[in-house]
Amino acid sequence: MLELLISGKTGARLAAGLEWNARHRRRASVFLVAHDNRSPRPRSTGIPRPLPAGRWQAHWRQAIRDPAELLAGLGLDAADLGVSAQALAQFPLRVPRGFAARMRRGDPADPLLRQVLPVDAEMRVVPGFSFDAVGDGAAKTATGVIQKYRGRALLVATGSCAINCRYCFRRHFDYAGENAARGGWEAALAAIAADPTIDEVILSGGDPLSLATAKLAELTTALAAIPHIRRLRIHSRLPVVLPERVDDELVQWLAGLPWPLAFVIHANHANEFDAGVDAALARLRGAGAQLLNQAVLLRGVNDDLDALAALSERSFAAGVLPYYLHQLDRVQGVAHFEVDDARALELHAALRARLSGYLVPKLVREIAGDSGKRPLHAG
């Protein structure tokens, strides 16, 4: 049962953290520049300039962690939005300032804000929602290694993320105990080397790009010594939420990998793209990565035909092929984001009728024990 009690000095401190005051407003105005994202942005042209080298760690450290600061910069009131000190304590806020700058000022329903703001609804215990919705625990084969599907092994490379998405299916995951980086990757590498049926390794987390590039290179050098690995896949939200991470060192590492590379980004709404994201994605493509996008269908964020169509079109304009549209993984704390299957199928059918086939992602659900993602079909 999900239960969290906050009292005494701890509760007072958390409550105080949500109060509005002039200090928060002044501080927010230094870093947060809100834009109107309603109008389509022009597509960038030409060869993108490299993003500032050596700066991504500074952007990471400057992420917004206080809901009051975030909302002050957007001209919104925490009390009106049901901001929850309990949800914040359970799963902290983290929002890069560049991502916050893409939110619409004065709009409490902004689709980017809804993805990151801790609210009261997260603390409801809802039947059918669990702490391990997709069976990660049962699929563990070694520390940090999850193997659900034949031929593929997923490495939980780190528990760190540049942004904490409130719908995250691993928000209750034991990252401290199940991090493949612990022990210098030894157990993870041994498990993969011992199974010759594994020909694809998936770097996940957390977010693997939250690791230093030198650490990632250490891992891939060790993986390159395993002869039956033929492909590498990286799942990362950083090129979207913190595009500064795609620096020269990262690009050089990617370009030097010995395998074909699939790079799966994660964007749920067209407004998540801007010129900086476009430039980062162009650099990934230049390093030889095949770019795919997987999104999650989220109530109040993208459960609308126009929003889904715009996401596919904007992704493709940035050189990213729509790949998956996931039904929500039913982890405790995320029920308020759920879209029922009937509505999901209706939206997907409408999307197929509107867009070219290559712009329509597969509508899928992950079910523990299945041999692959399960497509959703009418009837």
Side-chain angles (χ1 to χ4, degrees), residues 21-31 72:
N21 54 55
R23 178 172 58 84
H24 286 131
R25 294 174 186 273
R26 288 194 299 271
R27 185 172 58 187
S29 66
V30 174
F31 296 107

Side-chain angles (χ1 to χ4, degrees), residues 27-366:
R27 185 172 58 187
S29 66
V30 174
F31 296 107
L32 179 58
V33 180
H35 297 284
D36 184 352
N37 292 323
R38 290 182 173 86
S39 300
R41 295 182 182 83
R43 183 177 177 182
S44 59
T45 58
I47 299 173
R49 293 180 299 169
L51 296 163
R55 294 288 307 280
W56 71 271
Q57 296 92 340
H59 287 278
W60 181 292
R61 289 191 295 270
Q62 292 170 1
I64 299 170
R65 298 171 182 267
D66 182 353
E69 181 185 359
L70 175 62
L71 295 175
L74 296 171
L76 297 169
D77 191 330
D80 294 340
L81 291 168
V83 173
S84 169
Q86 287 182 302
L88 178 66
Q90 182 193 88
F91 190 38
L93 175 81
R94 184 198 293 269
V95 187
R97 295 180 186 275
F99 188 81
R102 298 170 222 165
M103 298 176 186
R104 296 191 290 248
R105 181 175 175 83
D107 183 359
D110 178 81
L112 277 60
L113 176 63
R114 285 183 58 83
Q115 295 181 55
V116 301
L117 192 66
V119 295
D120 293 328
E122 294 177 37
M123 303 312 299
R124 295 198 331 260
V125 176
V126 179
F129 286 74
S130 66
F131 289 100
D132 183 6
V134 296
D136 281 346
K140 172 191 168 184
T141 58
T143 299
V145 179
I146 296 172
Q147 191 173 0
K148 298 179 182 178
Y149 311 134
R150 189 185 186 284
R152 287 153 282 177
L154 183 146
L155 265 68
V156 179
T158 176
S160 296
C161 285
I163 192 167
N164 285 346
C165 301
R166 309 312 299 182
Y167 54 88
C168 179
F169 70 96
R170 290 198 180 121
R171 59 183 288 164
H172 303 293
F173 190 79
D174 179 20
Y175 285 112
E178 298 298 338
N179 186 330
R182 296 175 68 233
W185 317 102
E186 290 180 10
L189 291 167
I192 294 169
D195 185 349
T197 69
I198 296 173
D199 58 19
E200 181 175 356
V201 171
I202 303 163
L203 303 187
S204 184
D207 195 305
L209 293 197
S210 67
L211 294 172
T213 304
K215 189 70 174 175
L216 291 167
E218 174 190 327
L219 172 60
T220 52
T221 297
L223 288 171
I226 302 175
H228 51 81
I229 297 175
R230 296 191 299 172
R231 290 180 300 280
L232 185 71
R233 192 187 334 163
I234 298 174
H235 284 237
S236 177
R237 191 140 159 75
L238 263 76
V240 174
V241 303
L242 194 76
E244 295 83 2
R245 177 63 183 98
V246 185
D247 58 11
D248 291 342
E249 186 182 11
L250 183 79
V251 170
Q252 290 166 8
W253 165 66
L254 292 172
L257 293 174
W259 316 276
L261 173 63
F263 200 113
V264 184
I265 68 164
H266 179 184
N268 298 313
H269 197 277
N271 289 0
E272 296 180 38
F273 293 85
D274 67 3
V277 174
D278 289 344
L281 297 173
R283 300 199 80 199
L284 293 176
R285 292 199 311 278
Q290 299 290 322
L291 300 185
L292 306 167
N293 183 51
Q294 63 177 15
V296 180
L297 186 59
L298 300 167
R299 186 195 306 170
V301 173
N302 58 13
D303 58 333
D304 170 86
L305 175 58
D306 289 340
L308 290 174
L311 173 61
S312 284
E313 290 172 333
R314 187 62 178 85
S315 298
F316 190 75
V320 184
L321 193 67
Y323 173 41
Y324 276 150
L325 178 62
H326 280 269
Q327 269 292 56
L328 186 75
D329 293 319
R330 305 187 90 205
V331 66
Q332 279 286 0
V334 309
H336 57 294
F337 284 118
E338 189 172 41
V339 178
D340 66 52
D341 283 359
R343 176 61 177 160
L345 288 164
E346 176 187 342
L347 285 168
H348 197 246
L351 200 61
R352 291 198 310 270
R354 176 181 291 197
L355 299 179
S356 298
Y358 59 87
L359 293 177
V360 181
K362 300 175 184 177
L363 178 63
V364 297
R365 169 180 283 117
E366 183 169 355

